[in-house]
Amino acid sequence: REMNGGCVPASIRLKNGYVAYPTMEGIAWVEPEKMTLDNPTEKIRFDFATINSKQIAMKDTLWVPSGPNTIYIEFSSPYWSNQENINLEYKLVGLNDEWTPTEWNGRWVDFTNLDPGQYTLKIRKHLIDEKNNFVEARLVIIVEPSYYQSWAFKLSVTLAGLLLIALGFYFNKIGRAHV
């Protein structure tokens, strides 16, 4: 119903607790104590990710290839009321442990040039009726190392170095034996 303003006060509270508002079709009666909050309790869902401008289907874990990377992740949470009632925050565990609010209409996060390793993206939304109650979603992100950052490469270089040192000692010992 269309509410009429233009009068002061624009509503009146009656002795029985009702609040009366003028509308185009007459008076609207409201019992504020019986009104329920429209709490945004729906799950948060990861919709898709884009890595270096290539769209990736969402799974439980997001694998990011080595090298420079730009990661864009879009998510949603159905809510058929005022979108400003959804307060979303995110943090990327492994990079930053502080919650960062999204823009009120922002349903995405992006990250650039993450170091190789495992991260956990957490997105949460506050429930209206409780201060420390949230709906939360998690996504594991694994950034693969370049070949020279892998443990196998580091082990190979270490073994090659040890072999060179051992050969140096061996040839040095042989050289002294012939002198």
Side-chain angles (χ1 to χ4, degrees), residues 69-170:
N69 54 57
T70 301
I71 305 164
Y72 173 87
I73 301 169
E74 198 161 302
F75 53 91
S76 61
S77 183
Y79 184 61
W80 304 109
S81 194
N82 186 350
Q83 291 295 308
E84 291 183 24
N85 289 338
I86 298 181
N87 297 311
L88 292 160
E89 298 176 313
Y90 72 93
K91 72 176 170 179
L92 189 60
V93 178
L95 179 68
N96 186 354
D97 286 333
E98 294 187 24
W99 290 100
T100 304
T102 62
E103 298 292 327
W104 78 268
N105 62 348
R107 300 291 185 265
W108 54 268
V109 293
D110 62 342
F111 305 99
T112 305
N113 294 330
L114 292 175
D115 290 331
Q118 181 171 325
Y119 303 88
T120 302
L121 174 62
K122 294 182 178 183
I123 309 268
R124 73 178 183 183
K125 66 178 170 179
H126 296 263
L127 297 179
I128 295 172
D129 59 346
E130 300 186 34
K131 292 183 181 180
N132 290 318
N133 197 7
F134 307 95
V135 172
E136 186 174 290
R138 296 170 185 230
L139 175 67
V140 173
I141 300 172
I142 297 177
V143 180
E144 297 174 343
S146 296
Y147 75 92
Y148 58 86
Q149 295 171 316
S150 69
W151 66 269
F153 180 79
K154 291 176 184 177
L155 180 63
S156 299
V157 168
T158 302
L159 291 174
L162 291 173
L163 180 62
L164 286 174
I165 292 170
L167 287 172
F169 280 122
Y170 175 75

